Amino acid sequence: MHTEHTITLPDGRTLGFAEYGDPNGFPVFYFHGGQESRLSSIFMDPMARELQLRIIAPDRPGIGLSSYQENRTLLDWGKDIAALADALDMATFSVFGLSGGGPHVLACALGIPERIAKASIVSGTGPHNYRGKLKGVWFPVKLLHWFAGSKKDRNLRKFIAQEYKTLYKKPQKRLRQLQKFLPKPDRILLKENPAYGTEFIKGSQEAYRQGIEGVVQEWKLYVSDWGFALKDIRKPVALWYGGKDKMAPKYRGMHLNKMLPNTTFHLLPNEGHFSLLRNHLQEILEGLRPLP
């Protein structure tokens, strides 16, 4: 594993990334969730090696090692990934993302479809402007949506600053909160695999390496106009959602499945937000291999 890589993008910004799995395997870009970072996917390393896949996990702008980008849009992400792939001498690759990484997968599927072999979204967030967008969502996450959608960002900044403070000063408190309030599948996962909780905290702490600006910007992007229409994405996209998820409920997957022209929808009734990716990692990664 190599977790401290950087490249310089054409506009002079720094893009940080980690690599996991087989260094000679087929390349797969993983887009981390909101309030996470390139370090959040360390658990994928053994399975990626077994499947001969090379996982490249970049930090998004303002997160971890990556420079903040003023006025960035979701579609800018495809340009960053193309530049990173060029720097690593990769012509084609697959992409997948968790939660807030979902719309970034869609941005790539629209912006650079010719370079993508396979695309998957796992427990991804949905667009801001459809009826029922907050159905089944855990109340603290609803608050974040409401605060991020406000014209004034004072409450959003206050909420995220508190999260930042807790992660650094009282990480065990944050972990206990997750163990108490997450759906049962996620609680079981953390109880049976304590290392996952430790890795989650470290990955989240790294999201705030530069402060809160990158996270604040991300939340505003999630709840604003994404800058593209779902109907225009012709690239096939696999959707993976958990029936017990309260952060990105199954209803978001159902909406994407309805609006995207070409999807395969996997609904795992007894999985949560974090358990789905970990419990079904092999299936998800196998679906990202190129066709023979």
Side-chain angles (χ1 to χ4, degrees):
M1 294 183 291
H2 302 278
T3 61
E4 300 288 321
H5 291 307
T6 61
I7 65 163
T8 300
L9 294 167
D11 64 1
R13 287 183 292 117
T14 296
L15 183 67
F17 63 100
E19 290 201 43
Y20 306 104
D22 182 352
N24 298 311
F26 181 76
V28 176
F29 286 89
Y30 172 70
F31 305 152
H32 60 75
Q35 293 154 279
E36 293 188 315
S37 70
R38 72 191 185 285
L39 302 182
S40 301
S41 45
I42 191 170
F43 69 92
M44 299 182 191
D45 185 69
M47 182 59 67
R49 287 181 184 275
E50 182 179 327
L51 297 177
Q52 297 181 304
L53 294 175
R54 179 184 180 184
I55 305 289
I56 303 100
D59 287 324
R60 291 194 289 275
I63 303 297
L65 300 173
S66 293
S67 303
Y68 185 80
Q69 181 183 10
E70 293 284 351
N71 303 314
R72 84 172 178 100
T73 69
L74 287 172
L75 289 173
D76 288 334
W77 186 240
K79 301 171 187 176
D80 287 355
I81 294 304
L84 177 55
D86 289 345
L88 298 176
D89 197 26
M90 298 171 178
T92 59
F93 45 84
S94 291
V95 296
F96 77 121
L98 173 73
S99 195
H104 294 84
V105 169
L106 295 177
C108 288
L110 180 64
I112 51 171
E114 70 284 353
R115 301 192 67 170
I116 296 174
K118 297 287 190 69
S120 294
I121 291 173
V122 183
S123 307
T125 189
H128 76 294
N129 58 350
Y130 72 96
R131 188 172 182 177
K133 63 180 179 179
L134 295 181
K135 183 178 180 180
V137 175
W138 188 30
F139 183 70
V141 181
K142 283 186 179 181
L143 277 179
L144 272 170
H145 280 81
W146 292 332
F147 292 160
S150 174
K151 291 183 179 180
K152 296 182 179 180
D153 62 8
R154 185 183 66 173
N155 287 328
L156 175 64
R157 289 179 174 278
K158 184 177 179 181
F159 192 107
I160 290 175
Q162 183 59 49
E163 167 83 356
Y164 168 76
K165 181 179 178 181
T166 301
L167 277 170
Y168 276 95
K169 293 189 175 182
K170 299 178 181 179
Q172 290 305 311
K173 177 181 178 181
R174 178 65 174 134
L175 192 54
R176 287 194 299 271
Q177 289 173 338
L178 292 173
Q179 291 169 332
K180 182 177 180 180
F181 294 110
L182 285 176
K184 186 176 180 180
D186 292 330
R187 296 199 309 270
I188 291 173
L189 178 84
L190 292 175
K191 183 177 181 180
E192 294 181 348
N193 303 273
Y196 285 161
T198 302
E199 291 168 1
F200 175 79
I201 293 297
K202 289 181 179 178
S204 295
Q205 287 175 333
E206 181 67 8
Y208 295 97
R209 182 173 182 147
Q210 302 175 52
I212 70 170
E213 292 303 319
V215 176
V216 168
Q217 184 186 59
E218 280 250 313
W219 268 100
K220 289 181 177 179
L221 282 176
Y222 299 154
V223 303
S224 61
D225 187 335
W226 285 1
F228 54 86
L230 296 179
K231 64 180 177 61
D232 293 334
I233 299 172
R234 301 296 169 179
K235 195 76 183 178
V237 181
L239 304 172
W240 297 80
Y241 283 80
K244 304 295 185 184
D245 192 344
K246 293 184 179 180
M247 292 188 176
K250 62 182 180 181
Y251 307 107
R252 294 189 171 181
M254 292 163 66
H255 177 74
L256 291 177
N257 188 47
K258 177 182 177 181
M259 301 303 295
L260 290 167
N262 195 343
T263 62
T264 304
F265 187 42
H266 306 268
L267 178 59
L268 291 302
N270 295 313
E271 295 295 353
H273 194 68
F274 301 107
S275 69
L276 191 158
L277 179 57
R278 287 158 177 81
N279 290 340
H280 298 271
L281 181 62
Q282 181 172 348
E283 300 164 68
I284 293 168
L285 290 181
E286 286 177 342
L288 292 164
R289 287 170 157 175
L291 294 173

